[in-house]
Amino acid sequence: MNEGGFPAGFIPLNQATKPLIPDLNFTKVAESKLNLIVSPDNPLLEKGTLTVHDLRHQRFALFNDVANEQIFRHLQFLCGPLKVIINLDNAWSMYATITKLNAVCLGRTFQTHHSPYSPLADLPEIELGDLIDNHFEFGWLTNPNDELSATTVELTRMVTLPFKKTPDRARSGELFIASPLSGDQFLSAKTVNPSSSL
């Protein structure tokens, strides 16, 4: 994006990855937690708070993801070596690995709950907040030096549409859309009635 290859990107950020984009604009669309996704048969579900000892005996299946890799490295710093059995790129394979091999996965709730493969969102999740900073923000990354085309602005609006509800408008069914425009004029507020045509 800094080299002008892409006009905008929809990405997850946490405290560890925010410093990697000092010269780019980020507009938050949603918040998410990174949880441990497990099989319904995993004994960890019977525990209250997870400890480093609990994680040492798990088999991890990891999504190919830079931010998740950083968190996993931090978990290994806390726990010692952790067993990774596979790295994957798609939700169907991850679901099969978790359910058939009783593996565990680091997954961001925003992604699992909006995955095209919905069974992944039905698997149990365990909070990791006592061990790591598991807070993420999802949003649009843009270059302040580049003006976005009308097509890109409309694309960001359409992608954002299902996710952005404001509490005071949730009852009326209206959505608040934040769309990157160009340069310093980054946020454009607009309400849309979901029942109206797009």
Side-chain angles (χ1 to χ4, degrees):
M1 198 170 293
N2 269 329
E3 297 174 358
F6 295 97
F10 192 75
I11 66 165
L13 283 180
N14 63 0
Q15 289 302 319
T17 54
K18 279 183 180 178
L20 301 177
I21 56 160
D23 301 325
L24 299 174
N25 286 336
F26 179 75
T27 301
K28 182 174 76 171
V29 170
E31 294 187 358
S32 180
K33 289 184 177 178
L34 183 80
N35 290 338
L36 195 68
I37 304 173
V38 301
S39 159
D41 301 324
N42 194 304
L44 290 181
L45 290 170
E46 299 173 8
K47 293 185 160 286
T49 302
L50 293 186
T51 66
V52 293
H53 179 75
D54 297 324
L55 295 181
R56 285 180 188 140
H57 303 288
Q58 299 301 309
R59 299 187 303 165
F60 283 80
L62 300 178
F63 282 113
N64 290 315
D65 179 291
V66 173
N68 280 13
E69 288 169 7
Q70 288 183 330
I71 289 178
F72 187 72
R73 282 196 297 271
H74 181 66
L75 276 178
Q76 291 197 103
F77 175 77
L78 296 174
C79 304
L82 298 172
K83 184 172 185 178
V84 178
I85 60 171
I86 195 167
N87 289 79
L88 296 166
D89 286 314
N90 70 76
W92 179 87
S93 298
M94 186 60 76
Y95 177 85
T97 303
I98 293 169
T99 55
K100 303 294 185 190
L101 301 179
N102 200 24
V104 299
C105 165
L106 297 176
R108 289 182 289 262
T109 55
F110 181 84
Q111 286 172 290
T112 56
H113 292 216
H114 295 97
S115 168
Y117 188 71
S118 59
L120 189 63
D122 296 330
L123 291 176
E125 296 179 8
I126 303 172
E127 288 245 5
L128 291 169
D130 289 332
L131 295 174
I132 57 169
D133 176 11
N134 66 339
H135 180 261
F136 274 83
E137 295 177 346
F138 279 80
W140 291 104
L141 196 65
T142 57
N143 190 326
N145 300 316
D146 294 339
E147 183 172 342
L148 297 181
S149 68
T151 303
T152 302
V153 171
E154 180 62 10
L155 174 64
T156 63
R157 188 186 77 80
M158 294 297 291
V159 172
T160 305
L161 184 64
F163 310 122
K164 201 73 177 173
K165 280 194 178 183
T166 59
D168 57 326
R169 297 180 186 273
R171 287 187 296 277
S172 69
E174 284 186 314
L175 302 173
F176 178 83
I177 309 306
S179 295
L181 293 177
S182 61
D184 296 332
Q185 188 186 11
F186 190 63
L187 288 181
S188 171
K190 180 178 186 180
T191 57
V192 177
N193 189 320
S195 61
S196 65
S197 63
L198 299 174

